[in-house]
């Protein structure tokens, strides 16, 4: 409860800073130009602790030894931000490392790993758009699910409907690669930090503990149309359609229009553009997103060889000769746990 309260306080202070024109903080520049730039003050929706991988490399915080040595993924009604929670002045003067426009989002991909979310973005490559991914690794699985829901809703352009949202796909590559190493039933997968600040990946099976590394740079998204997530029920779709119709009716009556995301419980944008213009822009954004995704489908199949690699020897938890002997929890500024084996130990920082 205290942690949630602290995140809420950070979110409010970051919101104030983003709306302070004197600070001149980094703003997103949309690559899909028809996305435009939302006007007015922005409202912070969520503030989530994450680790971030871009171009195969984990983005480092300024001070890994900080009590809250992680990045913050901040979603507002205007944009997507990655903020360094360890930088001086945080959160009153946030250090923004990444700022992206929601109109540039191309797709969301959720793998077998419950903490991970792949977010595709349209980027300018020469005179055309292509697609690049960032990997968000949440500290808690429920945070991943909440981010997925929020980003899906916020990808719906102003004036558009549910069909204008980015597709949500399910990745199978990581699961299949992992099953090449782990033949018994997997009980738990988790990402933790080493004492030196490096990202580590562990898999717990019925009788063994594995440590792996993931070569994010060779991961490729599902093909266009493959792995579509059908988790959204028909009733949810109907509810979204009803909300979109209500928004259209409000605009036709000359009232201020709300961004459709607001009807899904996310406070949205307040704008005054004409409905016809919004609808046209929503169609254009969808077309340009699709064009960017098509570039990814042209990437040669890189296979799954080397995607997941064993980092150290497998630990037999119940082996009387060298199995797990003790589990120690350390009172520290960061949650820490040590697993003691006969010949060595593993310390995990959460």
């Amino acid at each position: 409860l205290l942690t949630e309260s602290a995140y809420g306080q950070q979110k409010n202070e970051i919101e104030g800073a983003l709306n302070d024109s004197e600070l001149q903080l980094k703003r997103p520049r949309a690559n899909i130009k028809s996305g435009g730039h939302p006007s007015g003050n922005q409202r912070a929706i969520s503030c989530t602790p994450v680790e971030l991988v871009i171009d195969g490399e984990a983005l480092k915080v300024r001070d890994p030894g900080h009590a809250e040595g992680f990045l913050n993924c901040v979603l507002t009604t205007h944009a997507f931000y990655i903020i360094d929670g360890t930088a001086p002045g945080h959160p009153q003067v946030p250090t923004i490392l990444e700022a992206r426009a929601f109109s540039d989002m191309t797709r969301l991909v959720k793998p077998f790993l419950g903490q991970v979310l792949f977010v595709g973005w349209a980027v300018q490559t020469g005179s055309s758009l292509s697609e690049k991914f960032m990997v968000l690794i949440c500290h808690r699985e429920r945070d991943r699910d909440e981010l997925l829901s929020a980003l899906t809703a916020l990808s719906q352009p102003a004036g558009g409907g549910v069909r204008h949202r980015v597709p949500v796909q399910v990745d199978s590559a990581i699961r299949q690669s992992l099953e090449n190493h782990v033949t018994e039933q997997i009980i738990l997968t988790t990402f933790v930090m080493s004492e030196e600040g490096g990202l580590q990946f562990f898999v717990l099976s019925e009788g063994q503990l594995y440590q792996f590394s993931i070569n994010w740079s060779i991961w490729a998204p599902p093909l266009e149309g493959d792995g579509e997530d059908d988790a959204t029920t028909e009733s949810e779709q109907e509810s979204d359609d009803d909300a979109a119709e209500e928004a259209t009716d409000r605009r036709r009556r000359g009232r201020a229009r709300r961004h459709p995301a607001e009807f899904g419980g996310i406070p949205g944008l307040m704008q005054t553009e004409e409905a016809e213009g919004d609808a046209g822009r929503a169609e254009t954004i969808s077309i340009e997103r699709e064009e960017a995704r098509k570039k990814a489908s042209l990437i040669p199949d890189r296979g799954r060889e080397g995607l997941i690699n064993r980092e150290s020897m497998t630990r037999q938890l119940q082996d009387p000769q060298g199995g797990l002997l003790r589990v120690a929890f350390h009172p520290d500024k960061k949650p820490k746990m040590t697993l003691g084996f006969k010949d060595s130990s593993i310390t995990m920082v959460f």
Side-chain angles (χ1 to χ4, degrees), residues 169-201:
Q169 296 178 290
V170 178
D171 170 68
S172 62
I174 290 179
R175 175 191 279 273
Q176 293 177 16
S177 183
L178 195 56
E179 288 174 347
N180 291 334
H181 296 278
V182 183
T183 56
E184 64 270 25
Q185 182 179 351
I186 294 174
I187 297 174
L188 177 70
T189 65
T190 187
F191 289 87
V192 298
M193 304 300 291
S194 67
E195 290 190 283
E196 293 74 32
L199 192 62
Q200 298 179 314
F201 175 50

Side-chain angles (χ1 to χ4, degrees), residues 22-289:
E22 293 184 1
L23 292 179
Q24 298 184 341
L25 297 177
K26 184 176 182 179
R27 294 287 189 268
R29 291 188 175 182
N31 291 307
I32 294 179
K33 302 304 181 185
S34 53
H37 299 280
S39 59
N41 285 344
Q42 51 190 316
R43 182 174 176 184
I45 296 166
S46 64
C47 178
T48 307
V50 298
E51 307 302 325
L52 177 66
V53 178
I54 298 181
D55 295 329
E57 297 293 330
L59 198 63
K60 302 294 185 182
V61 295
R62 181 175 299 188
D63 181 10
H66 193 280
E68 297 180 354
F70 46 76
L71 302 169
N72 287 300
C73 177
V74 177
L75 304 183
T76 76
T77 49
H78 288 198
F80 170 104
Y81 297 97
I82 295 293
I83 293 174
D84 187 345
T86 73
H90 180 83
Q92 293 83 6
V93 186
T95 298
I96 299 174
L97 304 180
E98 293 284 334
R100 306 288 180 105
F102 291 123
S103 59
D104 283 349
M105 209 187 315
T106 53
R107 71 175 113 181
L108 297 163
V109 182
K110 60 177 186 179
F112 161 66
L113 308 176
Q115 294 172 262
V116 178
L117 180 63
F118 294 97
V119 185
W121 300 96
V123 296
Q124 197 72 37
T125 304
S127 59
S128 62
L129 293 173
S130 60
E131 185 182 39
K132 273 197 171 186
F133 282 85
M134 62 170 57
V135 188
L136 293 176
I137 303 173
C138 299
H139 291 205
R140 301 177 299 186
E141 290 192 12
R142 71 177 187 183
D143 288 343
R144 193 284 296 267
D145 294 338
E146 290 173 1
L147 271 179
L148 176 62
S149 296
L151 287 170
T152 302
L154 289 165
S155 72
Q156 181 175 324
V162 173
R163 66 187 182 87
H164 296 104
R165 294 180 180 180
V166 298
V168 178
Q169 296 178 290
V170 178
D171 170 68
S172 62
I174 290 179
R175 175 191 279 273
Q176 293 177 16
S177 183
L178 195 56
E179 288 174 347
N180 291 334
H181 296 278
V182 183
T183 56
E184 64 270 25
Q185 182 179 351
I186 294 174
I187 297 174
L188 177 70
T189 65
T190 187
F191 289 87
V192 298
M193 304 300 291
S194 67
E195 290 190 283
E196 293 74 32
L199 192 62
Q200 298 179 314
F201 175 50
F202 287 92
V203 176
L204 178 66
S205 72
E206 292 179 317
Q208 302 183 87
L209 179 68
Y210 301 84
Q211 182 179 355
F212 295 105
S213 61
I214 299 180
N215 188 351
W216 302 107
S217 63
I218 68 171
W219 176 85
L223 294 176
E224 180 79 4
D226 286 353
E228 294 284 350
D229 182 26
D230 57 359
T232 303
T233 64
E234 290 184 6
S235 62
E236 288 173 328
Q237 291 281 3
E238 291 171 359
S239 175
D240 284 332
D241 290 341
D242 291 343
E245 290 178 10
E246 180 182 345
T248 301
D249 290 341
R250 289 169 60 88
R251 288 197 302 272
R252 286 172 178 169
R253 291 195 301 267
R255 299 180 184 178
R257 179 190 47 76
R258 295 185 180 187
H259 188 281
E262 183 166 359
F263 296 99
I266 298 175
L269 307 178
M270 294 292 290
Q271 300 174 358
T272 56
E273 297 161 330
E274 293 297 325
E276 292 77 8
D278 286 347
R281 274 189 287 274
E283 287 293 338
T284 303
I285 289 170
S286 291
I287 292 170
E288 294 191 67
R289 285 170 166 172

Side-chain angles (χ1 to χ4, degrees), residues 195 328-332 334-338 347-350:
E195 290 190 283
F329 296 91
H330 305 275
D332 205 340
K334 294 181 183 178
K336 187 186 300 185
M337 179 179 72
T338 298
T347 297
M348 304 178 180
V349 181
F350 296 92

